[in-house]
Amino acid sequence: MTNHLIDSLPRQVRGSFLADCEAIDLAFGEVLAEPGERISHVYFPLNSFISLIASLSDGDRLEVAMIGSEGMFGMPLILGVEESPWHALVQGAGPALRIPAAVFGRHLARSPALQALLKRYFYVLMDQLSRVAACTHFHQVEGRLARWLLMTQDRAHSDQLHLTHEFLAMMLGVRRAGITLAATVLQTRRLIRYHRGAITVLDRAGLIEASCGCYAADRRIYRQVIIEA
């Protein structure tokens, strides 16, 4: 169980950074930050994942990004902003590393390597945020659901996903009936199996084919900017 961003740091920088991190277990449904709330810790998921959710004044909510072992939560601190613009919700329980925001700031100030890496990750996150906006507007629910299931599978490191239609509807910003119809189509094609809140990915390659092109684009950007940089 590792975090790719931390693993990508030079050995000396990584050792110093890890010395100030605390190993914790994130619980499903745990709220790490609310919009406008001061960020107290930076989180690096290992085998857990976090949803960043935008909330509107009328109560509507939409997931705009998902963070697993490929990333971190606390990006506004890189810009010198101490407040979270999102509702940060633990969607996948499991281990993570966390570091106090003030300590993170000191590491950031003295490490050009850490600055460079996290600036690249910030670009990746901004790309994901903008792609979600376009995807939500232009793409059909079936393709968006397939993309979201693949993103969840990648971060859960499992074919077994525990998700209700109500939760999926909130994450994708659609009505429950739309999720039910899209999930039925994917199940009829034998790409997934759904029963009482448990979704099993049966055919990952087929699910990738059924997803909108945003899933492949997300992976391509991450590979180009983080892995191959």
Side-chain angles (χ1 to χ4, degrees), residues 84-149:
S84 173
W86 309 290
H87 179 89
L89 177 71
V90 177
Q91 183 182 299
L97 297 174
R98 75 176 181 183
I99 182 171
V103 179
F104 173 78
R106 291 197 290 270
H107 280 279
L108 194 64
R110 66 175 181 245
S111 174
L114 181 62
Q115 293 176 27
L117 174 65
L118 295 186
K119 284 178 181 178
R120 293 199 302 273
Y121 177 64
F122 185 80
Y123 174 85
V124 170
L125 186 61
M126 292 302 100
D127 181 80
Q128 186 179 158
L129 289 166
S130 61
R131 198 176 304 280
V132 165
C135 182
T136 301
H137 182 74
F138 291 110
H139 292 162
Q140 295 182 349
V141 177
E142 180 185 328
R144 292 172 54 210
L145 176 60
R147 175 200 181 197
W148 195 88
L149 292 175

Side-chain angles (χ1 to χ4, degrees), residues 66-85:
M66 190 186 298
I67 299 168
S69 58
E70 85 294 339
M72 58 164 279
F73 169 70
M75 293 304 293
L77 296 172
I78 295 175
L79 302 177
V81 178
E82 298 182 347
E83 294 182 353
S84 173

Side-chain angles (χ1 to χ4, degrees), residues 26-32 45 47-53 62-68 87-94 128 145 147-157 160-164 167-172 199:
L26 296 177
F28 175 77
E30 182 178 355
V31 176
L32 304 181
N47 198 30
S48 54
F49 51 104
I50 302 163
S51 286
L52 301 184
I53 301 170
L62 176 70
E63 183 188 70
V64 294
M66 190 186 298
I67 299 168
H87 179 89
L89 177 71
V90 177
Q91 183 182 299
Q128 186 179 158
L145 176 60
R147 175 200 181 197
W148 195 88
L149 292 175
L150 288 164
M151 291 172 64
T152 304
Q153 183 191 30
D154 288 345
R155 291 158 177 84
H157 308 292
Q160 309 294 323
L161 311 175
H162 299 283
L163 305 161
T164 65
F167 184 77
L168 288 168
M170 182 183 73
M171 291 296 97
L172 295 180
I199 295 178

Side-chain angles (χ1 to χ4, degrees), residues 178-193:
I179 293 295
T180 300
L181 180 60
T184 299
V185 171
L186 296 180
Q187 184 163 253
T188 300
R189 295 174 59 181
R190 298 183 179 179
L191 304 180
I192 65 171
R193 181 171 60 245

Side-chain angles (χ1 to χ4, degrees), residues 27-44:
F28 175 77
E30 182 178 355
V31 176
L32 304 181
E34 295 279 11
E37 184 177 274
R38 186 169 183 173
I39 298 172
S40 61
H41 290 83
V42 175
Y43 294 84
F44 293 85

